[in-house]
Amino acid sequence: MSRICAIDVGNDSVKALFGKLDYELYIPNVIARDTEDRPVIGIEELNEKDPLEGIHIRLHSPALKENNVIYRVGSLATKSDHASELDPGSSKSEEDQTLVMLFATLALDAVRGENSSIFKRNNNVIDANYTLGTGLPLREVKEGKDVGYRSQLLGSVHQVEFLVTPRYQGLKVNIRFDQVKVYPEGFAAYINLVMDNDLNIINRDLIDKNILIQDIGGLSTDIAVIKNRNVDDDKAQGFNLGVSEALEAIREEIRSKHGVELDSRRDVVDIITRKNDRNHIRVKGSRTSVHDITDRILVELAKRQYRHLRNVWQKNSQTEICYFVGGGAMVLKEYIKTLNNNLDGYNIEFFEDEKESIWMMANAYYKLISDFVRKSEKAKPAKEAAKQPAQK
């Protein structure tokens, strides 16, 4: 049996939805290479902990450039001295890190007790089959990288072995894909705006409008141009400009100015976006403002994002509204709004619901892959009937 999954490997975190929306996962996109027997304090207490806090795995997959490597993933990796987050300028489809996150996420679903009736389990080995909906930045899809990415996943068995992970230590998961669909990220955002989970239109007044969707991620920004219910591939643009570099610069400046070491970009996002005590840190216990640092760096980035908006809008002058989506849009929201009020006054819209903005891609992939499965199942009986020999 094949289980549906929709996975958005975002630069900041992985968001995944499974089955009949019976399970979701959110894991920071950070990995660190590690050794087999990471030291654990109190091994008997290991199984009381949350597996997501201690993801420690070995991976075998022909899709990986570096095979058979041991990784800490997610929260556990942020505590490592040599954690790696994706670098600006890298292609999502060509990085081992994307695959490490993808396989780890699937294995964490497959290994759950609730799925023992779906997947075959032989001693410590679980065989898991998935139908995957995922996406890549527009720029990479335009370059045709989705084809190679998909075939890497489809043709092989990918094994995740849990090492010192709470509750799952010693288990192995063999992952196979029955089907993989790779969608361009900008298009996915549009689907999510206008359709519900059954692909019924929920937003009639948007359907025939000319709209832009500016999706600001960690490493890239996609601006989708939508006319007549279709993404205009020629006009759509992808830029190597996300919020990661700015977050890294803020983290570095806080370190040099205040001597405070933040674990990852995640911590910087928290300081910028939290409801209480925004733009403050503790220095030797005292509450200290870092407003000057965050403002200077983020205003600069917001200006560059605004320039992209202006250029694309000029080329598509009949645009009626631009929606800003993605984790990066949440970080830059106030800065872009201020610029827009002071400058051109475009008709722009942000999602006030943070969760909706962050889960938008995963939700869209879920809608698209579910629809694909429904259509395939409808087509099956017709195909079977066509194969039957005619009765004499």
Side-chain angles (χ1 to χ4, degrees), residues 209-265:
K209 278 187 172 174
N210 289 344
I211 60 178
L212 301 180
I213 296 174
Q214 186 154 339
D215 174 18
I216 306 176
L219 301 179
S220 61
T221 294
D222 280 347
I223 305 185
V225 178
I226 291 150
K227 292 178 181 160
N228 311 327
R229 309 188 181 197
N230 282 311
V231 175
D232 184 333
D233 285 336
D234 298 326
K235 295 279 180 69
Q237 290 193 287
F239 307 97
N240 273 338
L241 174 69
V243 290
S244 291
E245 275 179 272
L247 297 175
E248 211 51 74
I250 291 169
R251 183 174 153 196
E252 187 49 47
E253 202 163 322
I254 287 175
R255 196 174 65 102
S256 58
K257 187 171 174 183
H258 298 290
V260 171
E261 190 72 68
L262 300 170
D263 281 346
S264 65
R265 297 172 198 156

Side-chain angles (χ1 to χ4, degrees), residues 145-320:
K145 290 183 174 163
D146 52 323
V147 180
Y149 184 64
R150 183 173 175 270
S151 62
Q152 268 187 328
L153 294 175
L154 270 176
S156 324
V157 178
H158 316 279
Q159 188 184 73
V160 178
E161 180 184 351
F162 287 101
L163 301 173
V164 193
T165 302
R167 284 188 245 157
Y168 303 145
Q169 193 164 6
L171 295 177
K172 291 180 182 175
V173 181
N174 290 328
I175 298 164
R176 289 179 180 82
F177 295 101
D178 294 316
Q179 189 53 267
V180 174
K181 289 286 188 190
V182 181
Y183 303 103
E185 289 173 353
F187 171 63
Y190 172 63
I191 290 292
N192 211 53
L193 279 174
V194 296
M195 292 173 182
D196 68 8
N197 275 346
D198 301 318
L199 292 199
N200 299 317
I201 292 166
I202 42 174
N203 213 330
R204 286 234 161 260
D205 54 339
L206 262 192
I207 255 271
D208 293 315
K209 278 187 172 174
N210 289 344
I211 60 178
L212 301 180
I213 296 174
Q214 186 154 339
D215 174 18
I216 306 176
L219 301 179
S220 61
T221 294
D222 280 347
I223 305 185
V225 178
I226 291 150
K227 292 178 181 160
N228 311 327
R229 309 188 181 197
N230 282 311
V231 175
D232 184 333
D233 285 336
D234 298 326
K235 295 279 180 69
Q237 290 193 287
F239 307 97
N240 273 338
L241 174 69
V243 290
S244 291
E245 275 179 272
L247 297 175
E248 211 51 74
I250 291 169
R251 183 174 153 196
E252 187 49 47
E253 202 163 322
I254 287 175
R255 196 174 65 102
S256 58
K257 187 171 174 183
H258 298 290
V260 171
E261 190 72 68
L262 300 170
D263 281 346
S264 65
R265 297 172 198 156
R266 197 67 270 147
D267 295 345
V268 182
V269 172
D270 179 53
I271 289 164
I272 299 164
T273 56
R274 62 183 170 217
K275 300 281 177 282
N276 303 325
D277 231 10
R278 185 175 293 183
N279 288 313
H280 281 80
I281 57 169
R282 294 273 160 190
V283 178
K284 299 176 184 157
S286 305
R287 181 173 175 272
T288 306
S289 168
V290 289
H291 225 297
D292 54 331
I293 299 174
T294 55
D295 272 2
R296 191 182 71 252
I297 292 170
L298 294 176
V299 163
E300 204 38 59
L301 177 60
K303 282 181 184 163
R304 291 171 70 190
Q305 289 288 355
Y306 196 74
R307 271 200 293 275
H308 285 315
L309 168 72
R310 183 183 273 162
N311 291 340
V312 176
W313 203 303
Q314 272 170 349
K315 293 186 182 114
N316 301 279
S317 62
Q318 294 312 294
T319 297
E320 293 168 66

Side-chain angles (χ1 to χ4, degrees), residues 128-145:
N129 284 44
Y130 285 97
T131 296
L132 169 69
T134 188
L136 288 173
L138 204 63
R139 181 177 51 84
E140 294 184 46
V141 175
K142 272 185 152 181
E143 290 166 9
K145 290 183 174 163

